[in-house]
Structure formats: C-alpha cells, structure tokens
Amino acid sequence: MTEELRDILMQGSVSAAEQLIGWRVFVKEADGNLVGGAIVETEAYSQEDAASHTFNGETARNGTMFKEAGHVYVYFTYGMHWCMNFVTGPAGHGQGVLIRAIRPEAGIDIMRSRRGGKPYRQLTDGPAKVCQALGVSGADNGAVIGGDKFVVQPPVGDTELTVLPTERIGIKKDTHRLWRFIATDE
DNA sequence: CTTAGGATCGCCT
DNA sequence: GGCGATCCTAAGC
C-alpha cells in the first residue's frame, strides 16, 4: 500500500470515505489480470455510530474492523450477501469505509459472468454486487490492501470528481449522519 | 418508474 | 428468537 493511501485511511472513516471516491479498487485473478474499477459510492462507519457493526464493541464477527488501517473487512448479511470495507484509523478504533459501488473498468467480462449476465450498469451498483462481481467473500476477510488479492490505485485523468455527501442507505439508526459519499458526474 | 415482498442464515441479546 | 451496512422479481401506476 502506498504512503498516500495509508495517509488517507489513517485520517478516519469519514474523511477517507470522501477522499476514496475516484480511487480504483481491483482484485488480482489467478492469471494475474485485474478486475475492478473506480469507486463511485462509499459510506463511513465508526464505533460511536449506532449503525456500525462495532458500536457495541469487538466481537467474533467484527474483529477485523479493530485492526489497523489497510485491512479489508468482509461481512455476510441477509443470509446471502457479502460486503467489503476498508478498515481506517489506528488499530483498536473499530471503523471503516463500506465500498458501495464502483464503475467497472477492468475485467468487465469476468464481472458480467459472475453477475449472471446482468447489464453493465447493474454489475457493481451495490455493495453486495461489488463483492459478487469481484469474487470477494468471507475467505477474504482480514486481508490487506496491497497483499495477494487487493490492489488500490489513485484516480486517473485530470477531471476532478464532484463528491456529494448524503444520508446512508439501508440502516435504521443514526440516519442523520451525512456519511454516504457519491460521485455526481457519472 | 416505483414499490412491495421474499429469500436465507449467522450473530447477538 | 429477532433481524440485518441487500438484491431480485413481479406487479402496480
């Protein structure tokens, strides 16, 4: 992991969630090819936030979120879906950034086959869809960015993405926090 | 285009 | 025993 990325992740989940928009996340396939694209939607979670898995302290499930910035927290939900987060902050803080959506750039055919032939726009427009398209599952929980599987690279191009903070989705508690960030110029 | 309901299971109270 | 950081399909406008 680069120093630039580590700096962003160490600033905490809310700041990191905003700055990660436009960064690109990929997984390395067995043949070495990359599959993934640019992050266009994130959400921040932290321990003092009632909507976070870490709100009630460390448990068997959420242990990865208490590691230091740069780990990948993958959790299982609704009996059938996986979602992935980048852990932020120093070890012990229980915070992270949920990767809610990406714009496919590399390995689109692989993503399409993993997503049952869905059209381009529906390949990775939700947190569980991102994991399905990238082949991320519970086996990846606790991995590190820059390890064997996860590659994260800075934004490319000279166009600055406009980032809009909004309310988070799919939660019942602490909905007032504007901790969801989306790229507006799609 | 919007909404409602079902699928499905591990974690936590 | 309840319910979730979700997705998909079908049916209603």
Side-chain angles (χ1 to χ4, degrees):
Chain A
M1 180 168 55
T2 63
E3 196 171 321
E4 183 185 10
L5 178 59
R6 178 172 294 282
D7 282 348
I8 291 175
L9 296 180
M10 283 299 289
Q11 289 175 26
S13 60
V14 179
S15 174
E18 181 169 14
Q19 294 185 67
L20 282 173
I21 297 293
W23 281 68
R24 296 169 302 145
V25 55
F26 305 98
V27 293
K28 242 180 270 178
E29 296 296 316
D31 59 10
N33 287 329
L34 297 180
V35 174
I39 299 171
V40 293
E41 182 177 347
T42 61
E43 280 180 2
Y45 289 89
S46 72
Q47 198 175 2
E48 55 278 358
D49 159 30
S52 172
H53 290 167
T54 60
F55 184 63
N56 290 311
E58 185 169 356
T59 66
R61 177 202 203 190
N62 65 25
T64 299
M65 281 191 87
F66 287 87
K67 297 190 174 188
E68 72 168 8
H71 284 81
V72 179
Y73 168 54
V74 183
Y75 68 90
F76 185 65
T77 192
Y78 290 101
M80 61 185 100
H81 297 304
W82 297 100
C83 298
M84 67 178 287
N85 299 249
F86 293 165
V87 176
T88 60
H93 279 223
Q95 53 172 247
V97 174
L98 173 68
I99 308 301
R100 283 195 60 89
I102 68 176
R103 180 172 47 215
E105 289 176 351
I108 293 176
D109 288 341
I110 295 175
M111 290 193 250
R112 190 156 33 224
S113 66
R114 285 184 179 142
R115 292 275 302 125
K118 290 281 190 303
Y120 175 80
R121 279 190 211 66
Q122 295 171 36
L123 290 180
T124 53
D125 62 339
K129 300 179 190 180
V130 171
C131 282
Q132 191 180 4
L134 268 54
V136 171
S137 73
D140 301 304
N141 183 38
V144 293
I145 297 170
D148 290 337
K149 179 151 182 170
F150 293 95
V151 177
V152 177
Q153 298 176 349
V156 291
D158 43 48
T159 56
E160 189 92 349
L161 283 177
T162 303
V163 180
L164 180 69
T166 62
E167 285 188 357
R168 291 175 296 176
I169 290 182
I171 58 172
K172 298 261 180 68
K173 303 166 186 166
D174 281 29
T175 55
H176 63 283
R177 303 179 195 273
L178 300 181
W179 283 3
R180 173 180 174 234
F181 300 91
I182 59 179
T184 54
D185 41 13
E186 272 290 348

